[in-house]
Amino acid sequence: MSDMATHWTTRLYPGTYRRAFAQEVSAVIADVEAERGRWAGALEKSAVIGHALRLRTRLDSARPAGRLLARAVPVLVAVTAPLSLSLLIAWCAASRPHADRLMYAPAAYAPWCAVLFFTLIARWTAARLGAGLALLGALVSLPLVRGLYGAEGFAQEWKTLVGLAVAALLVLLAPPDLPPVGNGARWTVALVGLALAVPLTAAAVMTFGGPQEEYLVQFDPRDTYLSIVPQILVLPTAIAVARSRRAVASALALMAALPLAFALSVQLTELQRGAFPWWALSSSAAGLLALPLYGARMLQRRRARVQRRAAEAP
C-alpha cells in the first residue's frame, strides 16, 4: 500500500490528515470500484469529498459546530421541503394564471420531496442523496433560468435557487455519523413540515388550479412562506433555547429582536400593511416562551437531585 498513488480526492483533506490516511482512503476507493462498480465508486468519492470538506470547515462530529448542524438538519429539511413542494405544485398545475409572472425551476424543487420522505422513514443515506440532487438541480437551474427567462426572470428566481442550494449543501455538510433518524427528530420533521405544507400546498392548489381570478395574479408561494415560517418555528426555537447552556442570555437576545426591528423600521421606512417584521415578533415570542421553559427545566432537575439525595441517605 505504501507504493500506491493516492487518489485525487484525498488532496482535499487537511495536510496532517492527508499524510496519515491518504493511502488508506485511496485503497478503499480502489477496492469499492473493483468490487462494486463505478457507481459505488462515485458514491465513495463523494463521501470522501464530503468528509474532507467537513474537516476543512470544522463541521465534523467531533466538534460542537458539526453536532449543532446535525441537530439543526431536521428543522432545515422540515422548513425547506414544504416550500419546494408548493412551488412544484404551482409549476405542475394545469391552469396556472399568468404563469409568465412566476419563473419556476422544478429540478431544484422535486428532490426535496425525496429528502423529506427518506428523512421521515429514517433512510438517511437516501435523504443525503436526495439533497445532492437538490443541490445539483439548483445549480443547473440558475443558468437555465437566465437563458430561458432573461434578466427579469433571473432576478425573480435566483434568491430562491441560491437559498435551496445552501440548504442542500448544509444537509450534505452535516456529519453522516450523526444521522437525524431518532423518533424526536422525525417528529420534528413531521410536525413542522405538516404545519408548513398544509397552508402552502392549499394556497398553491387553490391559486394555480382554481378559477383564474384577477386578484390571484400577485400570489407567490414564497411570500406566504416567509410570513408563516417564523410563526411555525416559535415553539421549536423556544425549546432549543431552553435546553441550551446559555438559555437566559439567548432568550434575552431573542426578545431584543422586536424593539430593534421597530427602531430600524422607523429609521428606514414606514411600516406598511403586509410589511410587519413577523420574524422579529416570532423571535421575541420564542425568547419570552423560553424563559419559563428553562425555569421549569431547572426546577425539574432540582427536584430530581433532591429525590436522589433522599434515596441515597441512610
Side-chain angles (χ1 to χ4, degrees):
M1 184 181 296
S2 59
D3 297 331
M4 177 182 177
T6 58
H7 196 270
W8 65 268
T9 55
T10 61
R11 299 174 188 171
L12 300 175
Y13 281 117
T16 303
Y17 192 95
R18 183 175 62 252
R19 286 188 292 270
F21 300 104
Q23 292 204 347
E24 180 180 345
V25 172
S26 301
V28 171
I29 293 175
D31 291 342
V32 170
E33 285 186 330
E35 295 176 5
R36 296 160 56 188
R38 291 185 177 180
W39 174 246
L43 292 178
E44 187 66 28
K45 294 171 190 175
S46 65
V48 170
I49 293 173
H51 185 217
L53 290 176
R54 281 187 291 276
L55 291 178
R56 290 281 188 183
T57 56
R58 298 179 179 272
L59 291 175
D60 54 297
S61 58
R63 300 178 185 274
R67 294 192 293 270
L68 178 63
L69 180 58
R71 289 195 296 268
V73 161
V75 177
L76 183 63
V77 172
V79 300
T80 305
L83 173 64
S84 299
L85 177 61
S86 64
L87 292 172
L88 187 63
I89 290 174
W91 180 81
C92 293
S95 59
R96 53 188 191 278
H98 305 278
D100 58 325
R101 282 179 167 247
L102 295 172
M103 311 303 177
Y104 292 112
Y109 312 145
W112 279 105
C113 300
V115 176
L116 178 62
F117 173 75
F118 287 119
T119 301
L120 287 173
I121 66 172
R123 296 294 185 269
W124 183 229
T125 300
R128 285 170 56 82
L129 182 59
L133 293 176
L135 176 60
L136 180 62
L139 295 179
V140 171
S141 295
L142 282 169
L144 285 179
V145 169
R146 175 77 182 193
L148 292 175
Y149 302 114
E152 182 179 355
F154 183 78
Q156 185 175 351
E157 187 71 11
W158 75 268
K159 292 181 181 179
T160 302
L161 292 175
V162 170
L164 293 176
V166 171
L169 182 61
L170 289 175
V171 172
L172 292 174
L173 284 177
D177 53 336
L178 296 175
V181 294
N183 289 333
R186 282 186 284 173
W187 270 109
T188 299
V189 174
L191 294 177
V192 175
L194 188 64
L196 283 172
V198 170
L200 289 175
T201 301
V205 170
M206 288 188 296
T207 300
F208 295 95
Q212 300 190 15
E213 300 290 346
E214 184 64 25
Y215 72 89
L216 296 177
V217 173
Q218 301 298 326
F219 175 82
D220 191 320
R222 288 163 286 204
D223 296 333
T224 305
Y225 175 81
L226 291 175
S227 63
I228 293 178
V229 166
Q231 303 171 59
I232 295 297
L233 294 182
V234 168
L235 183 57
T237 302
I239 294 174
V241 169
R243 292 177 176 176
S244 64
R245 292 183 178 180
R246 295 178 176 84
V248 176
S250 301
L252 293 176
L254 288 176
M255 292 170 63
L258 187 59
L260 287 176
F262 274 122
L264 291 174
S265 299
V266 170
Q267 292 179 3
L268 299 178
T269 182
E270 295 182 1
L271 285 177
Q272 299 177 353
R273 185 179 180 181
F276 186 80
W278 287 108
W279 62 268
L281 178 62
S282 302
S283 297
S284 297
L288 187 62
L289 182 59
L291 290 178
L293 289 175
Y294 175 74
R297 189 163 179 258
M298 292 298 100
L299 182 60
Q300 184 180 13
R301 285 186 173 183
R302 182 175 299 178
R303 288 178 177 175
R305 285 196 299 267
V306 171
Q307 292 175 357
R308 186 167 57 250
R309 290 173 183 172
E312 293 173 353

